[in-house]
Amino acid sequence: MGTHGRHLVRIWWVAVVFALTGCGGGGTLGGSVTLFEDTFAAINGSPSTLADNWLVFSVGSTCTASNVDTNVFSPLPQGNPTPGLVLKCQGSIIDVNDGSLQSLATYALNTPLTFAVDARVDAVGDFIDNPQRGMIFSLRALSGLMVAYIDIRPTSVTYYMNSGGGIGNIQFTQTYPVDAFFHRYAFVVNGSGNAEWRRDGILQASTTTLSTTTEPISAIGNLYIKMIAPPSTATVASNGHFDNVRVTAP
C-alpha cells in the first residue's frame, strides 16, 4: 500500500473511533459508552433537578421522592458521592406510582446494553398490606409490561426477567445478610435474547430467551427505567435509597 493509501486508511480509522466514542451523547467508562447517567447531583455538588431526567410521582405527604439524601455512606463507588435519591412512604400504600421515578429517556434492547444502579433499602412495611413488592428498580415497556426488575427487601432480592410467558418466567430470590450498605445491581443484555442480573459484579440470575409475551425483546423499543419506593403500612414507614443510575453500551 502506498503512502496515499495508508493516509486514507488512517483518516478512516480516526473517523470510526471518533464516531464510536462520541455516540449516545455520553462519555466513556472503562471502554464503554455512557448513554445515560444520573448521580442526583449537579456539577457544583448541589442536588440536580429531578425533572431534567425523570417523571416524579409523589402523592401528597404520604410518599416523597427527594434527591437531597446525604445518607449514602458505603465504600466507593457504591452510594457515593452525596447527594443521592431517597424514596419514603408513610401509611398504607397501594398505588405503585406513589413515591416513584420514571425515566424520560427510553431504550431498545436490540444492542448490548447495561442498566446499573446503587440501591439500599432501610425499612419496609410488614407486607401484610403489600405482599407483592419491596423497593423496585425495573425496566418496562410503555404498555406497563415488566421486562426485568429487582425487588429489594432488607434481607433478600428477587430477580425477574420476562422470557415469553408472563410473570414468573425467570424469577429467583436470593437472601443476604442484613447490612447498611449500598449494593451495585446491573441488568446486562446482549441484544439477542441473552440477559443477566448481577449484584456487585456477581451473577445472580440469567436467561437466554429474554422477550415480551409476544415477540423477542430485541424488536421492542420505548423501554423506560422505573424506580419505586418500598411499600409501607399504617403503622410501619418505609425508607429506601438509590444512587448512580447509569446506562452504558460496550
Side-chain angles (χ1 to χ4, degrees), residues 71-84 118-119 182-183 243-244:
N71 185 19
V72 289
F73 61 91
S74 66
L76 289 169
Q78 283 95 332
N80 279 283
T82 60
D118 296 334
F182 278 79
H183 294 279
D243 205 358
N244 303 323

Side-chain angles (χ1 to χ4, degrees), residues 85 87-89 93 95-102 133-138 140 146 150 152 225-231 240-242:
L85 173 73
L87 298 176
K88 297 180 179 181
C89 288
I93 304 305
D95 189 341
V96 296
N97 275 329
D98 291 354
S100 68
L101 273 69
Q102 176 179 316
R133 67 180 179 89
M135 184 175 79
I136 291 178
F137 175 80
S138 64
R140 303 188 185 203
M146 286 272 206
I150 46 173
I152 308 169
I225 299 167
K226 193 173 185 68
M227 296 182 288
I228 304 174
H241 310 263
F242 291 104

